Amino acid sequence: MIDKSVFDFCNMPFLDNSTDVISDGGGIGNCEGVRAEALKEVYRGLKPGGKLVTSTGFVNKETLASLPAEVQRILMKKTP
């Protein structure tokens, strides 16, 4: 069974060592908290030998320049 869920990486609804694969589409990269704590939580929920599959996008200079000034400021502050 594949369970697709949305939740806080720092407070996952998994039992310890209970999940084969955890994947995200920018969740770790966009973590508002401490990424190290989010990663500890991921590995708490994974079974021994389980996999974390993560994908974080990026914004190139042209795309950044096309965004509103406030969005540019926020992105540059979070990921210079």
Side-chain angles (χ1 to χ4, degrees), residues 35-56:
R35 286 186 188 139
E37 293 301 316
L39 288 171
K40 285 180 188 176
E41 180 68 356
V42 167
Y43 285 103
R44 178 198 63 76
L46 284 172
K47 290 179 180 177
K51 305 288 184 205
L52 168 62
V53 180
T54 184
S55 171
T56 300

